[in-house]
Amino acid sequence: MHFSNSVLLMTALTAGSAVARLHGHDRRHAHHRELDAQLQPAVTAAPVANVEKRGGEVVAATIDGQLVSWINNWFGEQGSTSSEAPSSTEAPVVPEPTVAPTSTTAAPVVKSTSEAEVISVVKPTAAPTSGSSSSVSSNWANYPTNGQYSRDGFGASTGSKRIGSLDWDYVGNVGSPWGSNLIRVEEDAASEYKHVIRFENDNAKAWTVVMWNSYGPTGGLNGFWSPNKALSFTVEPGHSIFVAIDDNSQGGWGAAEGEGLPTNFVGEYASTWGEFDMSNAQNDGFSGWDVSCIIAELANLEIAGMQICNHEGEKCSSISKGAASVVAGYTAADQGKPDLAIAQSAGPVRLVVNLGWSS
């Protein structure tokens, strides 16, 4: 995808962000095409409040071989409630769920739009308040022997829908309330959930992780714009934190050493990203994951290392510091490539993320 005006980063569908997407049976984990344009000088803290407001320009883009044009009406106002990209660098703050339900029963939950399957609740668990030590052995990567996965702590699942024909025009489960499809879980309860990610920090300093759904709380493709966040936490040195993800969820996370994440000049999280697509209902339940540094690279910000593998140390996607080594990951040179990410057929997912990874 080539855009003729870099200003459209503020108004167009944010296809310029590295958001994982699946399409049909031939693209198990296709990557969003990136903005093929140079970003303006970036900031490393909150988005600049006095960014020049522009509007009324005709913006043209070639999307999948078809020329499309529209009027750029971005004036720095509050985020749009449509399915398009945000019209502002600010988005509504959505409170994070902090405590899981205490009831041991729950109403039946539909697993996907194509298959009505009741998922049982295993046991209630309060949201953890601190990281688990990575040295503690457990069976977190096991699966329930009866194939019944817990939904304890998740909000209600939201129905999926298509809002267009492009790869990223699929809105899956974003949780109700928004972001409640991603929850922290204790290590000893992790094996009860279908999709689990273990975040490990083997570095000398703490790391911040911010997680999101691809589609934000107002329905736009802006979940990865600050201050949107479905979940955020700090991983202390030598510790691990476990996150469970509900069915048919698409999104990602940014990670950076220290407090907070850098953003580019329009407010997108601009650290190294991890991306996920869990049991995609439009693609036979396939899942996928990858590491991307596209936004950080285009913003001329630091590219931190990250590695994502399954719990057996296989099916890895990784980018080392400065993108010196890239395996099945996305850099700015890989914009538009649909086949770099890791794919897994339908079933439970167990991932290990190494923050600050070096080859």
Side-chain angles (χ1 to χ4, degrees), residues 20 29 77 159 204 241 281 313:
H29 192 67
E77 304 300 333
I241 284 179

Side-chain angles (χ1 to χ4, degrees), residues 164-209:
S165 60
L166 301 176
D167 285 347
W168 53 85
D169 288 336
Y170 175 74
V171 184
N173 176 22
V174 298
S176 179
W178 185 87
S180 60
N181 56 324
L182 294 89
I183 60 172
R184 282 183 56 182
V185 295
E186 295 286 1
E187 184 173 7
D188 60 1
S191 62
E192 300 166 4
Y193 292 85
K194 187 174 181 181
H195 316 103
V196 180
I197 301 179
R198 173 175 174 160
F199 291 87
E200 296 186 346
N201 181 7
D202 294 328
N203 305 285
K205 296 182 179 180
W207 279 65
T208 295
V209 176

Side-chain angles (χ1 to χ4, degrees), residues 35 66 73 110 115 132 150 152 161 166 211 232 278 318 346:
L35 290 181
Q66 182 176 359
N73 288 321
V110 177
E115 178 185 10
S132 302
S150 175
D152 177 43
K161 61 181 178 180
L166 301 176
M211 302 190 72
S232 65
M278 298 301 186
S318 64

Side-chain angles (χ1 to χ4, degrees), residues 217-270:
T218 61
L221 186 55
N222 58 4
F224 39 85
W225 287 55
S226 177
N228 288 336
K229 57 182 178 180
L231 192 64
S232 65
F233 49 85
T234 299
V235 188
E236 298 294 339
H239 285 69
S240 297
I241 284 179
F242 295 81
V243 172
I245 301 176
D246 204 0
D247 271 338
N248 199 28
S249 297
Q250 296 82 36
W253 64 84
E257 186 178 84
E259 298 182 2
L261 300 186
T263 59
N264 63 18
F265 80 112
V266 292
E268 288 178 294
Y269 293 119

